[in-house]
Amino acid sequence: MNEKTTPLIKFDSVVKRFPGVVANDEVSFEVEEGTIHSLLGENGAGKTTLMKILYGLYRQNSGSIYLRGEKTEIDSPTKAIELGIGMVHQHFKLVSNHTVIENIALGLSDVSVTRPTQQIERKLIELAGKYGLEVDPRAKIWQLSAGEKQRVEILRALYRGAEILILDEPTSVLTPGETERLFGVLEEMVTGGKNVIFITHKLDEVMKISDRVTVLREGRVIDTLDTASTNKQELSKKMVGREVLFDLERNPCDRGENVLEVEGITGYNDKGVVAVDDLSFSVCEGEILGVAGVAGNGQRELAEVLTGLREATSGRVLINGKDLTNASPREIAEERVAHVPEDRIKQGIVGKLTLSDNAILKNYRKKPFSRGMFINYRKVKEWTKDLIEEFNVKVPGADTPANLLSGGNIQKLILGREVSSDPRLIIASHPTYGLDVGAAEQIRNLLLKQRDNGVAVLLISENLTEVTSLSDRIAVIFEGNLMGLVERNETTRDEIGMMMAGTRFEQLER
Amino acid sequence: MIEAWVIGTLARTLAYGTPLLLGTLGEIYSERSGVVNLGVEGMMIMGAISAFATAFTTGNPWLGILVAAIAGGLAALVHAFASITLRANQVVSGLALTMLGLGLSGLFGKGFEGKPLDSTISNVTVPLLKDIPYLGKILFIDQNPIVYISIVLTPILSYILFKTSIGITIRSVGENPAAADSAGINVWKVRYACVLLGGVLAGIAGGYLSIAYRPAWTQGMTGGMGWLVIALTIFASWKPGRGLVGAYIFGALIHLSYRLQPFVAPQLLKMMPYAFAILALVALAIGPGKQKSEEPNSLMEPYVRGEK
């Protein structure tokens, strides 16, 4: 490398500690001017933490950051913005009840105090046209799709004069088509003299979009390379630290009788808008039915309607042939329905209770755990110990509060609890979301094992790879409507992607 | 006869509605930034006693209003410190301040009980405008300057809240503090300022009560007006303009509860504004869903940086 060029950004031995963990451990690498630089790593590798330091949301415990060769103290987002750094967060930081303009205006320093909107609207349209980031400036944020929201975030950063744009897992909420479009915008921006730092754990994206890539694992920099001189296998090895089996072991599908039958159900979301629109499908014994779709297209509402947490305004839900439409969650659970909820921390466990209390959340009132009014704690402890062992939950002891566990271990605990009640049907929402590769693999194997034992599994996931590798059949939903219900062997990723973006199966050009 | 009665009632409605309006404007700002202030009643009564005491000893009623604003502001600072800096429960902190305000004002007010106030803010009649038929008699004859101040304040505060960048900042902090923080806004500062404004306006409302509206001090003279303010804020969908309408509706009800005494049992009449407040809130809650979305999303949630 030419020694005379000053790197755009230089991280020098940056350390960030949180109570109990070192999130960034002596991180050092350089980002060059005029490039798209990827930060690759598993969940919890410290990518986001590092970028939050760069954006002034966190302060490093030690180490320094140099911007164009100058040592810089970035102690607040305001400072970062002044320095030309913009960040698009994974969870959009937008005020959803406000308009696009109002969101851009928020925190803007050089804007008319008394009449900010007209001024912003003009400049916004100009910027949008330049980079292909069209969005209606007067729309309220909640009316926009995920892709449009992201465009607003990017526009906001550009409006503030960002020269360096940090994108945190930008594709996780996008359809394949929207992802393509985003990549086009990013390339346009780099051509126009901007710099992009791209956080991801997806190897394909690294190879496709970035010029250089830094791999992080457990808070440490493993390597920084030119993408042109590496490949997916090498990157994946560096990222995970071992070879990963991309294909899970599978047995041939053996389908039996229908366990779950859904006939034309409709349900509303919290805003009172139709979220599940006349859906019909069935899941039979020994089958995994995958539900694919972009986040926020009715998946959550569907799972809640099926488990009795949300009212179905029309249609029927039959479980084991029994009409359980709008039955209570307990009645549904009594039909041996297991539920792995979307938000494992809020809905799956009671964080402040111990592991053993959480392990019997669903059957504490049954023998042998209960004796009349009292709980038989000896039995509970024994059972929890078995559960911990069988499902490989890594935990100091059964008395540990559940919220001290990592996401993967919480998920194993939940799955263990649900599976050990001998279910006929498992409804699993995003079971591996946010888990590292190892834990995700264990969870997936567990689901497959249940399927092989004849359990019907409804797998709701935004992870397309997961859906396609686990499911026997795949249902794709878009805005609460079924776009298509296909055999896994008879479709392709592209076709599923098209359906996720709102094309019906019948309309696909096959 | 009927005509005179209606005009008289409407004119008095403005006088009775004014403390409610001032309190509601303040509470709207406080809640728009995400902080519920249940201490309004306490801040009003502290404003009332401090204004009276100041006016009584110095003979300057406007100085009394200023001191009332400071007293309300100081009480609001306590609430802000507890609920914003210490992230204590906003309901508990607000309730405690109401109790404290009622208690303290009773203690310090002992010596002023029943004493007449000579130096009050006297009512004015606006020349020319008073000759407008009907409206002149309602609005421009024998009204207090503070009534006009509160009326002028309403569109100004409304414009600031909805059209300026200051308003966008305040509303964003109340809706999504994490987003505001990430945009470089000091969430804590904005919330402190809004809670402070709420306290100052509540204090002035109290001062108006003891100096202008009924120039005397009686213990507990706010009589639950602070609680009506809380209900009015919701009734107004957190909008100053609707706050004005609501404040005058309740002002009319309070006034009527005195005027109708010869005909209806006074206990029932006293209940009227509060019963109506409950009815109004029930109607809003079961009415068309639009109302709900106006509530600031992060109301009552302390902001901690670093949490999602």
Side-chain angles (χ1 to χ4, degrees):
Chain A
M1 205 200 302
N2 187 348
E3 279 174 336
K4 276 175 194 159
T5 56
T6 324
L8 177 68
I9 309 167
K10 182 177 164 197
F11 293 92
D12 186 14
S13 307
V14 173
V15 176
K16 175 69 188 172
R17 283 183 219 98
F18 288 114
V21 277
V22 183
N24 290 136
D25 192 359
E26 301 273 322
V27 169
S28 303
F29 70 93
E30 293 171 359
V31 177
E32 285 168 27
E33 190 97 41
T35 57
I36 298 182
H37 193 111
S38 287
L39 267 187
L40 177 70
E42 289 190 273
N43 290 296
K47 305 171 300 237
T48 303
T49 305
L50 186 67
M51 286 303 113
K52 281 189 172 169
I53 292 173
L54 181 60
Y55 190 59
L57 284 170
Y58 295 153
R59 283 305 293 277
Q60 67 266 38
N61 295 98
S62 65
S64 4
I65 295 173
Y66 297 84
L67 215 64
R68 297 192 171 89
E70 267 178 63
K71 188 168 170 178
T72 331
E73 298 290 330
I74 307 170
D75 51 10
S76 69
T78 320
K79 183 77 187 286
I81 293 163
E82 274 171 31
L83 291 167
I85 301 170
M87 182 156 182
V88 176
H89 298 270
Q90 185 177 9
H91 304 281
F92 299 135
K93 306 256 176 172
L94 295 169
V95 182
S96 58
N97 279 337
H98 287 184
T99 64
V100 172
I101 295 178
E102 284 175 329
N103 270 282
I104 303 275
L106 180 61
L108 214 55
S109 47
D110 58 337
V111 70
S112 147
V113 172
T114 46
R115 309 186 69 198
T117 47
Q118 293 86 338
Q119 187 189 344
I120 290 172
E121 186 165 11
R122 232 176 303 125
K123 195 169 159 195
L124 199 60
I125 290 169
E126 185 190 305
L127 266 178
K130 189 168 165 195
Y131 294 107
L133 289 158
E134 280 80 13
V135 61
D136 174 9
R138 289 165 193 238
K140 299 249 172 157
I141 297 298
W142 61 265
Q143 296 169 318
L144 304 180
S145 72
E148 287 172 312
K149 284 181 199 161
Q150 189 172 61
R151 267 172 251 157
V152 176
E153 286 271 22
I154 296 174
L155 278 170
R156 178 157 74 176
L158 293 176
Y159 196 104
R160 266 142 238 254
E163 294 296 320
I164 304 164
L165 190 67
I166 307 164
L167 295 145
D168 191 356
E169 306 255 359
T171 60
S172 57
V173 291
L174 302 184
T175 60
E178 282 177 324
T179 302
E180 284 298 317
R181 190 166 166 187
L182 171 69
F183 285 176
V185 169
L186 296 185
E187 273 158 11
E188 192 67 37
M189 282 169 50
V190 172
T191 316
K194 310 268 183 201
N195 307 278
V196 175
I197 301 180
F198 189 92
I199 304 179
T200 186
H201 58 239
K202 294 176 187 159
L203 297 167
D204 292 319
E205 292 176 356
V206 171
M207 297 307 294
K208 185 153 184 199
I209 187 76
S210 53
D211 305 304
R212 279 162 62 79
V213 51
T214 294
V215 186
L216 285 175
R217 191 205 311 155
E218 289 166 359
R220 273 180 287 257
V221 172
I222 302 301
D223 206 351
T224 300
L225 338 103
D226 287 331
T227 15
S229 63
T230 183
N231 57 48
K232 265 166 71 176
Q233 273 67 31
E234 188 190 10
L235 284 178
S236 120
K237 227 154 88 184
K238 287 182 192 291
M239 175 169 91
V240 187
R242 63 192 159 84
E243 298 272 2
V244 182
L245 296 175
F246 275 103
D247 276 311
L248 288 155
E249 277 179 53
R250 299 171 47 91
N251 296 331
C253 170
D254 180 23
R255 279 192 219 145
E257 284 172 35
N258 281 345
V259 177
L260 171 70
E261 272 180 77
V262 177
E263 294 171 2
I265 56 163
T266 298
Y268 290 80
N269 66 11
D270 295 338
K271 284 211 147 83
V273 179
V274 175
V276 177
D277 195 358
D278 195 19
L279 279 188
S280 299
F281 58 87
S282 63
V283 191
C284 65
E285 283 176 342
E287 173 190 46
I288 296 183
L289 177 72
V291 177
V294 178
N297 274 289
Q299 293 97 320
R300 184 159 77 99
E301 289 78 7
L302 173 65
E304 288 179 352
V305 165
L306 294 181
T307 50
L309 296 168
R310 185 176 290 272
E311 188 192 359
T313 49
S314 66
R316 292 207 307 163
V317 178
L318 296 166
I319 296 169
N320 301 327
K322 217 167 160 183
D323 189 342
L324 287 176
T325 320
N326 292 329
S328 74
R330 185 182 285 189
E331 285 168 316
I332 291 170
E334 294 293 332
E335 270 311 305
R336 291 162 63 195
V337 175
H339 181 208
V340 179
E342 172 174 308
D343 189 337
R344 62 181 75 103
I345 291 164
K346 279 194 191 142
Q347 297 174 298
I349 57 164
V350 183
K352 284 183 180 161
L353 294 188
T354 65
L355 209 62
S356 53
D357 287 339
N358 274 291
I360 56 160
L361 263 191
K362 250 187 157 170
N363 40 14
Y364 65 90
R365 58 185 181 279
K366 290 180 197 150
K367 285 186 173 175
F369 305 125
S370 92
R371 281 182 308 208
M373 285 176 63
F374 301 98
I375 302 262
N376 183 346
Y377 276 106
R378 206 168 42 81
K379 279 268 171 354
V380 173
K381 287 260 161 64
E382 278 169 26
W383 194 71
T384 309
K385 273 189 191 129
D386 291 347
L387 199 90
I388 290 173
E389 223 161 274
E390 190 182 340
F391 292 95
N392 194 19
V393 184
K394 292 203 185 73
V395 63
D399 292 330
T400 314
N403 56 9
L404 294 184
L405 271 59
S406 74
N409 283 310
I410 289 176
Q411 197 68 325
K412 281 187 255 176
L413 170 73
I414 294 172
L415 216 77
R417 174 182 77 206
E418 299 293 324
V419 163
S420 55
S421 62
D422 190 22
R424 294 263 296 147
L425 170 67
I426 298 177
I427 297 172
S429 295
H430 314 290
T432 63
Y433 181 79
L435 302 188
D436 62 63
V437 174
E441 206 178 299
Q442 280 186 38
I443 299 284
R444 286 174 195 148
N445 277 324
L446 257 165
L447 288 175
L448 281 178
K449 201 172 131 202
Q450 290 298 312
R451 158 191 179 270
D452 295 339
N453 292 340
V455 177
V457 179
L458 183 71
L459 170 71
I460 300 173
S461 176
E462 282 149 27
N463 182 338
L464 200 51
T465 313
E466 176 169 280
V467 171
T468 47
S469 63
L470 289 183
S471 312
D472 299 297
R473 286 187 303 151
I474 297 166
V476 187
I477 58 173
F478 172 77
E479 290 182 349
N481 289 290
L482 194 63
M483 291 294 114
L485 185 70
V486 288
E487 296 280 339
R488 183 187 68 119
N489 311 332
E490 292 171 2
T491 187
T492 62
R493 249 183 105 91
D494 287 346
E495 285 184 353
I496 296 174
M498 293 289 288
M499 287 192 272
M500 280 164 68
T503 313
R504 286 186 182 279
F505 181 69
E506 306 84 58
Q507 294 162 347
L508 290 176
E509 289 169 21
R510 309 188 85 210
Chain B
M1 162 69 183
I2 284 285
E3 191 185 296
W5 194 85
V6 170
I7 287 176
T9 302
L10 288 177
R12 285 303 88 199
T13 287
L14 295 185
Y16 283 78
T18 294
L20 294 175
L21 175 57
L22 285 168
T24 304
L25 290 174
E27 184 69 8
I28 286 174
Y29 264 68
S30 179
E31 293 197 13
R32 278 284 183 183
S33 80
V35 183
V36 162
N37 179 7
L38 295 187
V40 176
E41 176 82 4
M43 291 165 198
M44 271 172 101
I45 195 101
M46 292 222 255
I49 183 59
S50 47
F52 186 86
T54 309
F56 190 82
T57 35
T58 66
N60 186 341
W62 287 105
L63 189 65
I65 294 290
L66 180 71
V67 173
I70 294 171
L74 283 177
L77 265 187
V78 175
H79 182 55
F81 181 68
S83 59
I84 303 168
T85 305
L86 302 181
R87 301 195 288 266
N89 185 310
Q90 295 176 7
V91 172
V92 176
S93 161
L95 284 178
L97 274 169
T98 287
M99 302 295 170
L100 183 75
L102 289 170
L104 276 182
S105 64
L107 181 68
F108 292 124
K110 268 275 176 268
F112 297 106
E113 196 99 33
K115 294 199 173 154
L117 185 63
D118 300 326
S119 47
T120 66
I121 298 175
S122 41
N123 289 358
V124 293
T125 294
V126 187
L128 295 175
L129 292 176
K130 73 177 164 50
D131 298 327
I132 303 170
Y134 301 113
L135 211 59
K137 282 185 185 144
I138 296 168
L139 267 174
F140 299 113
I141 292 179
D142 200 24
Q143 289 291 6
N144 201 275
I146 295 178
V147 173
Y148 296 130
I149 291 174
S150 68
I151 291 176
V152 172
L153 212 51
T154 306
I156 294 176
L157 288 179
S158 181
Y159 185 84
I160 291 176
L161 196 55
F162 293 107
K163 297 283 182 223
T164 68
S165 62
I166 301 168
I168 291 172
T169 305
I170 292 172
R171 285 182 292 124
S172 300
V173 164
E175 286 282 340
N176 188 344
D181 189 17
S182 155
I185 303 285
N186 188 328
V187 172
W188 298 272
K189 234 192 238 171
V190 172
R191 288 190 165 173
Y192 259 91
C194 289
V195 172
L196 201 63
L197 177 67
V200 165
L201 288 177
I204 294 175
Y208 166 83
L209 280 177
S210 68
I211 294 189
Y213 157 93
R214 192 195 290 155
W217 164 254
T218 39
Q219 199 182 336
M221 69 184 297
T222 46
M225 277 192 165
W227 297 115
L228 282 180
V229 161
I230 310 284
L232 269 171
T233 304
I234 303 169
F235 177 79
S237 306
W238 295 268
K239 288 177 182 146
R242 289 186 57 157
L244 181 131
V245 175
Y248 289 147
I249 292 175
F250 282 89
L253 285 170
I254 294 174
H255 176 58
L256 283 177
S257 72
Y258 295 110
R259 286 208 111 174
L260 295 176
Q261 269 178 16
F263 317 106
V264 188
Q267 288 84 355
L268 284 177
L269 288 170
K270 283 266 183 220
M271 270 166 46
M272 204 160 58
Y274 307 101
F276 189 77
I278 294 173
L279 281 179
L281 293 183
V282 169
L284 282 180
I286 58 177
K290 207 177 160 289
Q291 224 65 48
K292 259 193 166 158
S293 63
E294 279 295 328
E295 179 177 332
N297 247 320
S298 299
L299 193 60
M300 306 223 310
E301 280 173 29
Y303 178 58
V304 192
R305 185 180 270 182
E307 283 180 6
K308 244 203 307 188

